[in-house]
Amino acid sequence: MSLHALLSLSVLTAAALAASTSAHARTWYVDKTRAGFVAPSDRNGDEDTPFERISHALGARGLAPGDVVLVTGADTYAENLTLPDGIRLEAKVHAAVDTGGAPTLLVSEADPKEPGITVTTEHADNAVVGFNIHEGGAERGAGIFVLSGKVLIEDNVFWLNEAEKEHRDPLGGAIAVFDADKLASKPDDYHVIIRGNHFAGNATKGPTGMGGAIGCKGDKARPNLLIEDNTIGLTPLFKNGSPHGGG
């Protein structure tokens, strides 16, 4: 077989694999209000038979990288969530566009000492898009804690999240990116993108707290973290605060 034929076959195979992955990607629906009208045994994540809780969708049998968990309506969810590999968690109405029409993750009503959302994936892309994330109290990343992996954090509203710890350094009242310098293998490979979010009333407590809204920790600076077009402090009354970097 000629080199040209081999190259053509390779391109076709890659295209076929991409098409196959796209074809099998699924959207899983979560809607607490509408799920109340569906028998628990019939809630399977379809649009007409949505899950009642976000965690049910994230733990669903058959969930796979590339899938979307779409939360519709403006319900409040008292949950602590961990994103599986390659999942896009998105609100149908984005909080940064319409706060009242978007769902709320109320961390204080779940376990306030754990992050609202934790990202610890190894390779796959993740996303958290469009949520109100309120009243977390974990020592690092009370709203979202990124320990490892690739993630887009976009169009969310972070409100009154507070990182505190008596004997350790609290980091990131709303978002914490830990070991930020270890996330990327090459320059300009943005593994964490924080874009278009609103931050109000978030804080770290204690004399060593860092990053009232966003806290990043690493041994050295590397261009693998992109922070752009965010609003830090919606009003003077609800500004973000920290001994070291309120924003």
Side-chain angles (χ1 to χ4, degrees), residues 4 57 62 101 125 170 215:
H4 178 75
D125 292 349

Side-chain angles (χ1 to χ4, degrees), residues 4-210:
H4 178 75
L6 283 171
L7 290 173
S8 298
L9 180 60
S10 176
V11 170
L12 288 171
T13 302
L17 286 171
S20 174
T21 301
S22 176
H24 288 88
R26 175 179 173 181
T27 297
W28 304 76
Y29 291 87
V30 179
D31 191 308
K32 182 189 290 186
T33 298
R34 290 198 298 120
F37 297 96
V38 179
S41 59
D42 293 333
R43 297 171 189 162
N44 61 3
D46 287 343
E47 187 170 8
D48 294 331
T49 52
F51 288 117
E52 184 180 25
R53 294 174 62 82
I54 301 170
S55 56
H56 293 170
L58 295 178
R61 190 173 184 177
L63 186 75
D67 286 358
V68 176
V69 172
L70 185 66
V71 183
T72 61
D75 292 302
T76 296
Y77 297 86
E79 303 187 57
N80 303 97
L81 307 171
T82 298
L83 286 193
D85 283 358
I87 301 303
R88 181 181 179 91
L89 176 60
E90 184 168 5
K92 184 176 182 180
V93 174
H94 290 189
V97 177
D98 180 5
T99 302
T104 295
L105 188 64
L106 187 59
V107 186
S108 61
E109 295 298 321
D111 184 348
K113 296 303 181 184
E114 294 294 325
I117 300 173
T118 300
V119 182
T120 59
T121 58
E122 291 300 325
H123 305 292
D125 292 349
N126 291 80
V128 179
V129 181
F131 289 84
N132 294 298
I133 301 176
H134 291 189
E135 300 179 23
E139 63 183 83
R140 291 173 178 172
I144 297 178
F145 179 41
V146 182
L147 181 60
S148 61
K150 299 184 69 173
V151 62
L152 167 68
I153 301 171
E154 185 172 46
D155 282 354
N156 303 284
V157 173
F158 294 88
W159 184 269
L160 300 177
N161 298 284
E162 187 173 82
E164 61 174 312
K165 182 68 174 179
E166 184 178 355
H167 300 298
R168 295 178 63 179
D169 299 336
L171 177 71
I175 300 173
V177 181
F178 197 62
D179 286 342
D181 59 311
K182 298 178 182 177
L183 293 175
S185 58
K186 58 184 179 180
D188 301 321
D189 180 14
Y190 296 117
H191 275 210
V192 179
I193 299 175
I194 302 172
R195 175 191 293 141
N197 303 281
H198 296 172
F199 299 88
N202 305 282
T204 60
K205 291 188 69 175
T208 58
M210 295 179 288

